[in-house]
Amino acid sequence: MGKFVNRTVEIRGEYDVLVAGGGTAGVFAAVAAAKAGARTLLVEKNGLLGGTMTAGYVNFPGIFNFWDRQLISGPCWDMMVEFAAEGGAVLPDNDYTKKHFRQQVRVDNFQMAAALDRVCRSSGAEIRLHSMISFAEEQEGGLLIGITGKEGLYAVRARAAVDATGDANVAGMLGYERVRSSVLQPATLENRLEGYRIEDVDGDEVKRVFEAAIEKGLIEPEVFSWKSPYEMLKSGRVNMHIPCPGAEDSESRTAMEFEGRRILHTLLMLFRQVKGCGNIRVKVYAAECGIRESCRIVGEKTMTVDKYMSGHVYDDAVSYCFYPIDLHKLDGGGVHIVYLEHGIMPTIPYGALIPRGSRYLLVAGRTVSSDTETNSAVRVQAPCMSMGQVAGTAAALAARDKIRVGQVDYHKLTQALKALGATVPEKQA
Ligand SMILES: Cc1cc2nc3c(=O)[nH]c(=O)nc-3n(C[C@H](O)[C@H](O)[C@H](O)COP(=O)(O)OP(=O)(O)OC[C@H]3O[C@@H](n4cnc5c(N)ncnc54)[C@H](O)[C@@H]3O)c2cc1C
């Protein structure tokens, strides 16, 4: 250990609930906590809310309804409905003969970021953008949390907190156990292409140009382990796979951002060699790489694939979740998909949001306690939003009743979730 700088940190405020990360899960954690009457602070590192959905340009949240059931509802679904009415989203058509991803909501990126501002601000939650969590310390009755704003370091006290950083950063700072899959799913720098017509492009020529580039070492073959270069042109985006060394620290994040932009730039230059693609351009690209998989907490409960695939209703089930197992592979295996059988509606237990041994911290989003396969399904945006609503509500109850997060009464929690408009799984289902 090196030398520490000895300095005083100003404590600027006291909150009932602090939400770390204003992404897919965090926004709705803050909204739910504020609606439950908690004095709430949301801390987000970016200059906009929405995380992977907006900054990562993964603007197709799913899946809210399936098998003719509204599986996920509450403020997150209400927002989608209002948002669609103003022309910012296209809701799914509930035709279950189509591929599962056709049942996602298609959203306009800018309008979504603006809608999240409105929903979050009108809930009464305080929001700090351009701010990162710097440290977390457990104290009697709550947490002391350090925040680095543009102006420097300060701290706040919170009776309860929700870690929605997507990487369980606060759980790590508090020393709770985190695990990783042996190989993490690859990341993608989302983008959209323009300046060409696919009917003018010869697929064989694309193949030749890219085979030569791989041969010369200009680009790695695993970049194309999801889609071939010609398929990318057809879909209007470079669906790249970037090896993910981990996403919990700034060093690995920096390496992935460099890789994402290097790959996109290299492919752009190669595409320009193809007849019909001389004017191809990147119309839009994400502000940051989208992370499919990071570490996960070891929770009081862990979701397992057998229970997921059989639609097990946990005794502390707080949300539904619907998505096939969806593992992106770097080894040329593309995407490993296992569909849920007809009528199956998997559930998420409250215990999977509680880091083992935690007194004041809950987790929501892709870092929920789950095995690798389950995580590849439960990580999608609608369940993340739903987990946010659960964690925000539970944190508000814990703060109000001055109890630990693990002591929140299941009946009171589900009643509060129903009052919020959220769907709660039926035990006899
Ligand atoms: C390429 C790709 C394709 C995908 N396809 C789909 C799809 O088709 N459908 C679907 O529904 N889902 C899809 N997903 C999955 C889904 O988008 C994510 O798993 C989900 O958005 C994760 O939500 P989250 O809230 O856990 O994390 P995020 O949305 O990433 O939010 C985390 C937030 O925390 C902030 N943050 C991080 N660290 C700190 C810190 N220390 N202090 C303050 N703030 C911090 C971040 O800036 C971010 O805003 C895809 C993901 C990727 C990458």
Side-chain angles (χ1 to χ4, degrees), residues 20-26 43-46 48 50-53 58 60-63 101 104 131-133 164-167 169 173 187-188 190 226 288 290-292 323 364-367 379-382 384:
T24 326
V43 181
E44 165 55 45
K45 80 171 164 59
N46 288 333
L48 80 173
T52 304
M53 180 170 51
V58 179
F60 24 89
I63 289 176
F101 51 80
Q104 310 199 110
S131 301
M132 272 222 202
I133 304 295
T165 59
D167 304 307
N169 281 132
M173 289 171 194
T188 295
E190 279 290 344
W226 180 13
E288 59 182 25
I291 304 299
R292 285 193 179 79
Y323 214 71
R366 67 170 175 251
T367 52
R379 72 189 168 95
V380 294
Q381 293 175 21
C384 283

Side-chain angles (χ1 to χ4, degrees), residues 33 93 152 253 255 293 325 372 429:
D93 61 6
R253 281 296 180 97
E293 190 179 356
I325 303 296
T372 299

Side-chain angles (χ1 to χ4, degrees), residues 117-328:
D117 290 347
R118 282 200 305 273
V119 166
C120 221
R121 295 177 74 186
S122 65
S123 73
E126 281 179 48
I127 305 160
R128 295 279 182 287
L129 300 178
H130 296 292
S131 301
M132 272 222 202
I133 304 295
S134 317
F135 67 83
E137 217 177 274
E138 194 173 294
Q139 299 188 330
E140 206 37 57
L143 298 167
L144 182 69
I145 297 183
I147 299 170
T148 301
K150 271 178 63 58
E151 66 280 31
L153 179 66
Y154 62 98
V156 297
R157 285 205 177 90
R159 286 191 185 281
V162 178
D163 182 343
T165 59
D167 304 307
N169 281 132
V170 184
M173 289 171 194
L174 287 168
Y176 297 125
E177 194 182 347
R178 298 180 294 176
V179 287
R180 271 191 194 174
S181 305
S182 50
V183 181
L184 294 176
Q185 292 189 69
T188 295
L189 179 64
E190 279 290 344
N191 59 85
R192 304 290 182 267
L193 303 172
E194 67 175 6
Y196 66 101
R197 290 173 355 124
I198 194 66
E199 5 354 334
D200 299 339
V201 181
D202 174 5
D204 290 336
E205 191 192 350
V206 178
K207 203 164 172 237
R208 277 197 303 279
V209 168
F210 278 82
E211 277 173 1
I214 291 172
E215 185 75 32
K216 284 186 201 151
L218 297 177
I219 192 77
E220 303 71 28
E222 61 262 29
V223 167
F224 311 108
S225 53
W226 180 13
K227 303 262 182 192
S228 70
Y230 184 63
E231 285 171 323
M232 290 181 182
L233 285 177
K234 278 210 310 203
S235 66
R237 55 203 256 243
V238 171
N239 319 72
M240 68 181 82
H241 269 170
I242 311 169
C244 177
E248 305 91 315
D249 59 90
S250 301
E251 198 178 333
S252 56
R253 281 296 180 97
T254 304
M256 275 186 287
E257 304 301 356
F258 287 160
E259 267 304 89
R261 287 193 285 270
R262 178 190 70 83
I263 291 168
L264 187 52
H265 181 257
T266 306
L267 265 61
L268 187 70
M269 294 299 123
L270 291 168
F271 281 134
R272 284 195 184 156
Q273 295 176 18
V274 175
K275 193 166 157 265
C277 291
N279 291 321
I280 194 168
R281 287 178 300 275
V282 176
K283 183 180 173 190
V284 59
Y285 74 100
E288 59 182 25
C289 272
I291 304 299
R292 285 193 179 79
E293 190 179 356
S294 179
C295 62
R296 311 183 289 272
I297 59 155
V298 175
E300 294 290 347
K301 246 179 210 168
T302 297
M303 297 175 71
T304 54
V305 69
D306 52 327
K307 290 196 164 70
Y308 187 83
M309 294 306 291
S310 64
H312 176 76
V313 182
Y314 289 92
D315 56 6
D316 57 346
V318 279
S319 174
Y320 283 118
C321 164
F322 185 89
Y323 214 71
I325 303 296
D326 182 71
L327 275 170
H328 285 245

Side-chain angles (χ1 to χ4, degrees), residues 405-421:
V405 287
Q407 292 171 326
V408 172
D409 178 70
Y410 176 72
H411 180 69
K412 281 190 188 159
L413 175 57
T414 53
Q415 288 303 109
L417 287 169
K418 284 177 187 165
L420 189 69

